[in-house]
Amino acid sequence: MNLNIKDLQKNWNELGRIDPLWSVLTWRAKKGGKWNLEEFFATGKAEIDSVMEYAKSLGVCFPRGRALDFGCGVGRVTQPLADYFDEVCGVDIASSMIELANAYNRRRDKCKYYLNEKDDLRQFSDDSFDFVYSNITLQHMEPRYFKNYIREFLRVLNPNGLLIFQLPSEPARTIEGIAIRFVPQVLLNVYRRGRYSGRPIIEMHGMKREDVVEFLEHNGARLVDVKEDQSSGQDWISFRYCVVKKKRMA
């Protein structure tokens, strides 16, 4: 079986204790506690600056009141979002990550962190965020979960707000990617558990670009732009989706 929501929480709690920075940003050379903290957080600032420039290039105007960082980890991009928004909420499934996010928080006047143990965002009300952002997070849960979270992103998004999220489409035609295409996830998990001596595993899931676009349309979203990115590494074809809510009829 694939990991259910409780398994995901258990895995990410453990990853947050073993090697939290590498678990968020899995650069091969940084595994084993080799991330420098300042360097790590600098990648978050560069990412958010780039995302804001991207949104500006599309001519999208949206309020700058409240932002949501879904899958915040230790706050790598939550804190840089505070340069652009009055209030930023970081959400993560792992209490170990939230504890570190609070410990590393240099923007306590603007950044707050929330543990979310459910497959929804019910602790936040409808239309309560001007900007919702998620990168390299949805890919680690199976589609029944990430579809529900995308619906929740749209529910909590201000009608004048903007949603940007990343999701792999399909494995690339690399050796690893071809293996992913043809070996069931359950067998990959067995292999990974054996290879890494029972340490927590990081699953990868995706959804074809055309299916994501159809899903968004069906759930009341209007796609502003979709752009291929490299967030998921060389073994996956990945896309960034820029979305607004469809205007309600009067």
Side-chain angles (χ1 to χ4, degrees):
M1 293 179 61
N2 296 335
L3 299 179
N4 62 35
I5 202 76
K6 291 299 182 184
D7 292 331
L8 279 171
Q9 184 176 35
K10 181 180 178 181
N11 262 20
W12 285 96
N13 262 327
E14 191 170 350
L15 287 164
R17 289 189 291 266
I18 294 171
D19 199 354
L21 305 189
W22 177 83
S23 299
V24 171
L25 209 55
T26 55
W27 295 10
R28 184 173 300 177
K30 303 298 185 180
K31 191 171 185 178
K34 294 177 182 176
W35 269 111
N36 171 275
L37 197 61
E38 295 299 324
E39 179 188 13
F40 175 81
F41 277 96
T43 68
K45 176 172 172 47
E47 181 176 319
I48 292 304
D49 288 347
S50 175
V51 166
M52 291 297 116
E53 280 298 314
Y54 165 66
K56 182 179 178 181
S57 74
L58 297 175
V60 180
C61 297
F62 53 98
R64 298 298 178 96
R66 197 168 185 231
L68 174 68
D69 172 20
F70 179 81
C72 66
V74 302
R76 184 181 70 94
V77 302
T78 320
Q79 293 189 62
L81 280 169
D83 292 334
Y84 295 91
F85 296 91
D86 297 333
E87 179 185 355
V88 186
C89 299
V91 171
D92 203 274
I93 198 172
S95 59
S96 60
M97 293 289 191
I98 294 294
E99 288 170 9
L100 285 171
N102 282 315
Y104 295 145
N105 192 1
R106 297 178 179 176
R107 307 296 299 271
R108 294 181 185 276
D109 58 326
K110 287 189 172 186
C111 293
K112 299 289 185 282
Y113 295 101
Y114 299 83
L115 178 65
N116 188 72
E117 302 178 284
K118 307 291 185 181
D119 61 349
D120 56 48
L121 296 171
R122 69 180 68 179
Q123 61 183 303
F124 302 112
S125 58
D126 295 1
D127 305 337
S128 57
F129 289 99
D130 301 309
F131 183 69
V132 177
Y133 182 70
S134 184
N135 188 39
I136 54 175
T137 296
L138 298 174
Q139 63 187 24
H140 297 311
M141 61 189 77
E142 59 178 291
R144 62 175 169 146
Y145 294 125
F146 70 59
K147 286 180 182 179
N148 201 51
Y149 282 126
I150 294 171
R151 291 189 194 98
E152 286 287 87
F153 296 165
L154 292 166
R155 178 184 65 79
V156 303
L157 184 67
N158 183 323
N160 296 311
L162 183 68
L163 161 63
I164 295 180
F165 69 92
Q166 167 269 340
L167 194 63
S169 175
E170 57 197 287
R173 296 192 178 277
T174 61
I175 294 174
E176 179 78 13
I178 291 170
I180 294 167
R181 283 175 184 266
F182 295 106
V183 179
Q185 184 73 58
V186 62
L187 295 182
L188 287 172
N189 287 350
V190 169
Y191 165 74
R192 288 165 180 155
R193 286 191 181 98
R195 180 177 179 183
Y196 299 111
S197 304
R199 290 165 66 94
I201 58 174
I202 300 176
E203 282 191 352
M204 286 289 292
H205 297 274
M207 184 175 178
K208 285 186 177 295
R209 170 179 166 169
E210 57 267 30
D211 294 336
V212 175
V213 172
E214 182 180 351
F215 176 81
L216 290 168
E217 176 75 18
H218 182 72
N219 283 277
R222 179 173 67 82
L223 185 68
V224 176
D225 189 51
V226 57
K227 180 180 180 181
E228 187 169 351
D229 73 4
Q230 303 298 317
S231 296
S232 298
Q234 65 179 5
D235 298 317
W236 286 85
I237 298 168
S238 175
F239 291 94
R240 173 191 290 170
Y241 299 87
C242 183
V243 175
V244 295
K245 278 186 177 180
K246 290 180 182 176
K247 300 298 182 183
R248 296 189 180 98
M249 299 297 291

PDB file of all heavy atoms in Angstrom, residues 45-66:
ATOM      1  N   LYS A  45      14.578  32.574  -0.065  1.00  0.00           N
ATOM      2  CA  LYS A  45      14.408  33.969  -0.491  1.00  0.00           C
ATOM      3  C   LYS A  45      14.505  34.080  -2.016  1.00  0.00           C
ATOM      4  O   LYS A  45      13.700  34.768  -2.652  1.00  0.00           O
ATOM      5  CB  LYS A  45      15.455  34.862   0.175  1.00  0.00           C
ATOM      6  CG  LYS A  45      15.389  36.307  -0.316  1.00  0.00           C
ATOM      7  CD  LYS A  45      16.273  37.237   0.464  1.00  0.00           C
ATOM      8  CE  LYS A  45      16.330  38.625  -0.172  1.00  0.00           C
ATOM      9  NZ  LYS A  45      15.010  39.169  -0.536  1.00  0.00           N
ATOM     10  N   ALA A  46      15.499  33.398  -2.594  1.00  0.00           N
ATOM     11  CA  ALA A  46      15.664  33.430  -4.050  1.00  0.00           C
ATOM     12  C   ALA A  46      14.421  32.863  -4.742  1.00  0.00           C
ATOM     13  O   ALA A  46      13.970  33.389  -5.772  1.00  0.00           O
ATOM     14  CB  ALA A  46      16.908  32.654  -4.457  1.00  0.00           C
ATOM     15  N   GLU A  47      13.864  31.792  -4.187  1.00  0.00           N
ATOM     16  CA  GLU A  47      12.680  31.170  -4.773  1.00  0.00           C
ATOM     17  C   GLU A  47      11.483  32.113  -4.749  1.00  0.00           C
ATOM     18  O   GLU A  47      10.791  32.277  -5.759  1.00  0.00           O
ATOM     19  CB  GLU A  47      12.352  29.880  -4.013  1.00  0.00           C
ATOM     20  CG  GLU A  47      11.146  29.137  -4.553  1.00  0.00           C
ATOM     21  CD  GLU A  47      10.912  27.811  -3.845  1.00  0.00           C
ATOM     22  OE1 GLU A  47      11.906  27.098  -3.579  1.00  0.00           O
ATOM     23  OE2 GLU A  47       9.742  27.484  -3.572  1.00  0.00           O
ATOM     24  N   ILE A  48      11.229  32.731  -3.606  1.00  0.00           N
ATOM     25  CA  ILE A  48      10.060  33.601  -3.496  1.00  0.00           C
ATOM     26  C   ILE A  48      10.232  34.872  -4.324  1.00  0.00           C
ATOM     27  O   ILE A  48       9.284  35.337  -4.971  1.00  0.00           O
ATOM     28  CB  ILE A  48       9.767  33.928  -2.017  1.00  0.00           C
ATOM     29  CG1 ILE A  48       9.297  32.664  -1.294  1.00  0.00           C
ATOM     30  CG2 ILE A  48       8.718  35.036  -1.899  1.00  0.00           C
ATOM     31  CD1 ILE A  48       8.076  31.984  -1.919  1.00  0.00           C
ATOM     32  N   ASP A  49      11.422  35.431  -4.345  1.00  0.00           N
ATOM     33  CA  ASP A  49      11.667  36.595  -5.212  1.00  0.00           C
ATOM     34  C   ASP A  49      11.361  36.245  -6.662  1.00  0.00           C
ATOM     35  O   ASP A  49      10.743  37.029  -7.397  1.00  0.00           O
ATOM     36  CB  ASP A  49      13.113  37.073  -5.075  1.00  0.00           C
ATOM     37  CG  ASP A  49      13.397  37.768  -3.750  1.00  0.00           C
ATOM     38  OD1 ASP A  49      12.435  38.101  -3.021  1.00  0.00           O
ATOM     39  OD2 ASP A  49      14.590  37.961  -3.432  1.00  0.00           O
ATOM     40  N   SER A  50      11.785  35.049  -7.074  1.00  0.00           N
ATOM     41  CA  SER A  50      11.540  34.598  -8.446  1.00  0.00           C
ATOM     42  C   SER A  50      10.049  34.392  -8.704  1.00  0.00           C
ATOM     43  O   SER A  50       9.527  34.770  -9.765  1.00  0.00           O
ATOM     44  CB  SER A  50      12.310  33.302  -8.705  1.00  0.00           C
ATOM     45  OG  SER A  50      12.014  32.772  -9.973  1.00  0.00           O
ATOM     46  N   VAL A  51       9.349  33.803  -7.742  1.00  0.00           N
ATOM     47  CA  VAL A  51       7.911  33.558  -7.888  1.00  0.00           C
ATOM     48  C   VAL A  51       7.150  34.876  -8.000  1.00  0.00           C
ATOM     49  O   VAL A  51       6.226  35.015  -8.818  1.00  0.00           O
ATOM     50  CB  VAL A  51       7.384  32.720  -6.698  1.00  0.00           C
ATOM     51  CG1 VAL A  51       5.862  32.742  -6.634  1.00  0.00           C
ATOM     52  CG2 VAL A  51       7.876  31.283  -6.820  1.00  0.00           C
ATOM     53  N   MET A  52       7.524  35.866  -7.199  1.00  0.00           N
ATOM     54  CA  MET A  52       6.842  37.157  -7.258  1.00  0.00           C
ATOM     55  C   MET A  52       7.110  37.870  -8.584  1.00  0.00           C
ATOM     56  O   MET A  52       6.225  38.515  -9.147  1.00  0.00           O
ATOM     57  CB  MET A  52       7.288  38.026  -6.081  1.00  0.00           C
ATOM     58  CG  MET A  52       6.808  37.538  -4.724  1.00  0.00           C
ATOM     59  SD  MET A  52       4.993  37.544  -4.553  1.00  0.00           S
ATOM     60  CE  MET A  52       4.683  35.797  -4.357  1.00  0.00           C
ATOM     61  N   GLU A  53       8.327  37.736  -9.089  1.00  0.00           N
ATOM     62  CA  GLU A  53       8.639  38.306 -10.403  1.00  0.00           C
ATOM     63  C   GLU A  53       7.840  37.597 -11.495  1.00  0.00           C
ATOM     64  O   GLU A  53       7.376  38.225 -12.452  1.00  0.00           O
ATOM     65  CB  GLU A  53      10.139  38.195 -10.683  1.00  0.00           C
ATOM     66  CG  GLU A  53      10.983  39.252 -10.006  1.00  0.00           C
ATOM     67  CD  GLU A  53      10.636  40.660 -10.473  1.00  0.00           C
ATOM     68  OE1 GLU A  53      10.497  40.865 -11.698  1.00  0.00           O
ATOM     69  OE2 GLU A  53      10.503  41.551  -9.613  1.00  0.00           O
ATOM     70  N   TYR A  54       7.705  36.297 -11.349  1.00  0.00           N
ATOM     71  CA  TYR A  54       6.913  35.503 -12.302  1.00  0.00           C
ATOM     72  C   TYR A  54       5.466  35.991 -12.325  1.00  0.00           C
ATOM     73  O   TYR A  54       4.886  36.219 -13.395  1.00  0.00           O
ATOM     74  CB  TYR A  54       7.001  34.035 -11.897  1.00  0.00           C
ATOM     75  CG  TYR A  54       5.984  33.107 -12.518  1.00  0.00           C
ATOM     76  CD1 TYR A  54       5.983  32.845 -13.888  1.00  0.00           C
ATOM     77  CD2 TYR A  54       5.025  32.476 -11.726  1.00  0.00           C
ATOM     78  CE1 TYR A  54       5.059  31.972 -14.445  1.00  0.00           C
ATOM     79  CE2 TYR A  54       4.105  31.609 -12.271  1.00  0.00           C
ATOM     80  CZ  TYR A  54       4.122  31.361 -13.629  1.00  0.00           C
ATOM     81  OH  TYR A  54       3.204  30.500 -14.182  1.00  0.00           O
ATOM     82  N   ALA A  55       4.868  36.154 -11.137  1.00  0.00           N
ATOM     83  CA  ALA A  55       3.482  36.623 -11.064  1.00  0.00           C
ATOM     84  C   ALA A  55       3.359  38.017 -11.681  1.00  0.00           C
ATOM     85  O   ALA A  55       2.401  38.303 -12.415  1.00  0.00           O
ATOM     86  CB  ALA A  55       3.012  36.627  -9.614  1.00  0.00           C
ATOM     87  N   LYS A  56       4.324  38.872 -11.409  1.00  0.00           N
ATOM     88  CA  LYS A  56       4.315  40.226 -11.976  1.00  0.00           C
ATOM     89  C   LYS A  56       4.390  40.184 -13.491  1.00  0.00           C
ATOM     90  O   LYS A  56       3.716  40.954 -14.188  1.00  0.00           O
ATOM     91  CB  LYS A  56       5.492  41.020 -11.399  1.00  0.00           C
ATOM     92  CG  LYS A  56       5.561  42.465 -11.872  1.00  0.00           C
ATOM     93  CD  LYS A  56       6.746  43.173 -11.234  1.00  0.00           C
ATOM     94  CE  LYS A  56       6.861  44.616 -11.721  1.00  0.00           C
ATOM     95  NZ  LYS A  56       8.043  45.301 -11.109  1.00  0.00           N
ATOM     96  N   SER A  57       5.208  39.269 -14.026  1.00  0.00           N
ATOM     97  CA  SER A  57       5.368  39.166 -15.480  1.00  0.00           C
ATOM     98  C   SER A  57       4.077  38.745 -16.174  1.00  0.00           C
ATOM     99  O   SER A  57       3.886  39.015 -17.359  1.00  0.00           O
ATOM    100  CB  SER A  57       6.478  38.162 -15.817  1.00  0.00           C
ATOM    101  OG  SER A  57       6.047  36.819 -15.603  1.00  0.00           O
ATOM    102  N   LEU A  58       3.202  38.074 -15.427  1.00  0.00           N
ATOM    103  CA  LEU A  58       1.918  37.646 -15.985  1.00  0.00           C
ATOM    104  C   LEU A  58       0.867  38.748 -15.913  1.00  0.00           C
ATOM    105  O   LEU A  58      -0.256  38.584 -16.420  1.00  0.00           O
ATOM    106  CB  LEU A  58       1.407  36.412 -15.227  1.00  0.00           C
ATOM    107  CG  LEU A  58       2.272  35.151 -15.324  1.00  0.00           C
ATOM    108  CD1 LEU A  58       1.701  34.058 -14.417  1.00  0.00           C
ATOM    109  CD2 LEU A  58       2.378  34.652 -16.755  1.00  0.00           C
ATOM    110  N   GLY A  59       1.204  39.841 -15.253  1.00  0.00           N
ATOM    111  CA  GLY A  59       0.259  40.940 -15.117  1.00  0.00           C
ATOM    112  C   GLY A  59      -0.847  40.663 -14.125  1.00  0.00           C
ATOM    113  O   GLY A  59      -1.924  41.274 -14.199  1.00  0.00           O
ATOM    114  N   VAL A  60      -0.589  39.748 -13.190  1.00  0.00           N
ATOM    115  CA  VAL A  60      -1.606  39.381 -12.202  1.00  0.00           C
ATOM    116  C   VAL A  60      -1.494  40.304 -10.991  1.00  0.00           C
ATOM    117  O   VAL A  60      -0.422  40.388 -10.368  1.00  0.00           O
ATOM    118  CB  VAL A  60      -1.443  37.915 -11.743  1.00  0.00           C
ATOM    119  CG1 VAL A  60      -2.513  37.556 -10.727  1.00  0.00           C
ATOM    120  CG2 VAL A  60      -1.504  36.980 -12.944  1.00  0.00           C
ATOM    121  N   CYS A  61      -2.572  40.991 -10.654  1.00  0.00           N
ATOM    122  CA  CYS A  61      -2.614  41.841  -9.475  1.00  0.00           C
ATOM    123  C   CYS A  61      -3.459  41.159  -8.400  1.00  0.00           C
ATOM    124  O   CYS A  61      -4.543  40.652  -8.694  1.00  0.00           O
ATOM    125  CB  CYS A  61      -3.205  43.208  -9.816  1.00  0.00           C
ATOM    126  SG  CYS A  61      -2.224  44.148 -11.004  1.00  0.00           S
ATOM    127  N   PHE A  62      -2.964  41.136  -7.176  1.00  0.00           N
ATOM    128  CA  PHE A  62      -3.690  40.498  -6.081  1.00  0.00           C
ATOM    129  C   PHE A  62      -3.322  41.195  -4.779  1.00  0.00           C
ATOM    130  O   PHE A  62      -2.250  41.796  -4.662  1.00  0.00           O
ATOM    131  CB  PHE A  62      -3.380  38.997  -6.015  1.00  0.00           C
ATOM    132  CG  PHE A  62      -1.925  38.655  -5.960  1.00  0.00           C
ATOM    133  CD1 PHE A  62      -1.298  38.381  -4.751  1.00  0.00           C
ATOM    134  CD2 PHE A  62      -1.170  38.588  -7.121  1.00  0.00           C
ATOM    135  CE1 PHE A  62       0.050  38.060  -4.697  1.00  0.00           C
ATOM    136  CE2 PHE A  62       0.187  38.271  -7.081  1.00  0.00           C
ATOM    137  CZ  PHE A  62       0.794  38.006  -5.868  1.00  0.00           C
ATOM    138  N   PRO A  63      -4.203  41.142  -3.786  1.00  0.00           N
ATOM    139  CA  PRO A  63      -3.930  41.808  -2.515  1.00  0.00           C
ATOM    140  C   PRO A  63      -2.702  41.214  -1.835  1.00  0.00           C
ATOM    141  O   PRO A  63      -2.332  40.070  -2.072  1.00  0.00           O
ATOM    142  CB  PRO A  63      -5.200  41.548  -1.694  1.00  0.00           C
ATOM    143  CG  PRO A  63      -6.245  41.186  -2.692  1.00  0.00           C
ATOM    144  CD  PRO A  63      -5.536  40.506  -3.813  1.00  0.00           C
ATOM    145  N   ARG A  64      -2.094  41.968  -0.942  1.00  0.00           N
ATOM    146  CA  ARG A  64      -0.882  41.520  -0.258  1.00  0.00           C
ATOM    147  C   ARG A  64      -1.110  41.451   1.252  1.00  0.00           C
ATOM    148  O   ARG A  64      -0.222  41.777   2.032  1.00  0.00           O
ATOM    149  CB  ARG A  64       0.276  42.466  -0.581  1.00  0.00           C
ATOM    150  CG  ARG A  64       0.640  42.530  -2.066  1.00  0.00           C
ATOM    151  CD  ARG A  64       1.096  41.190  -2.614  1.00  0.00           C
ATOM    152  NE  ARG A  64       1.400  41.241  -4.027  1.00  0.00           N
ATOM    153  CZ  ARG A  64       2.622  41.419  -4.526  1.00  0.00           C
ATOM    154  NH1 ARG A  64       3.645  41.584  -3.708  1.00  0.00           N
ATOM    155  NH2 ARG A  64       2.814  41.456  -5.828  1.00  0.00           N
ATOM    156  N   GLY A  65      -2.307  41.008   1.646  1.00  0.00           N
ATOM    157  CA  GLY A  65      -2.615  40.922   3.064  1.00  0.00           C
ATOM    158  C   GLY A  65      -2.103  39.652   3.726  1.00  0.00           C
ATOM    159  O   GLY A  65      -1.214  39.691   4.580  1.00  0.00           O
ATOM    160  N   ARG A  66      -2.648  38.504   3.301  1.00  0.00           N
ATOM    161  CA  ARG A  66      -2.389  37.250   4.013  1.00  0.00           C
ATOM    162  C   ARG A  66      -1.994  36.151   3.034  1.00  0.00           C
ATOM    163  O   ARG A  66      -2.652  35.955   2.006  1.00  0.00           O
ATOM    164  CB  ARG A  66      -3.658  36.853   4.762  1.00  0.00           C
ATOM    165  CG  ARG A  66      -3.475  35.818   5.865  1.00  0.00           C
ATOM    166  CD  ARG A  66      -4.739  35.737   6.698  1.00  0.00           C
ATOM    167  NE  ARG A  66      -4.578  34.841   7.844  1.00  0.00           N
ATOM    168  CZ  ARG A  66      -5.432  33.859   8.133  1.00  0.00           C
ATOM    169  NH1 ARG A  66      -6.496  33.641   7.377  1.00  0.00           N
ATOM    170  NH2 ARG A  66      -5.217  33.096   9.191  1.00  0.00           N
TER     171      ARG A  66
END
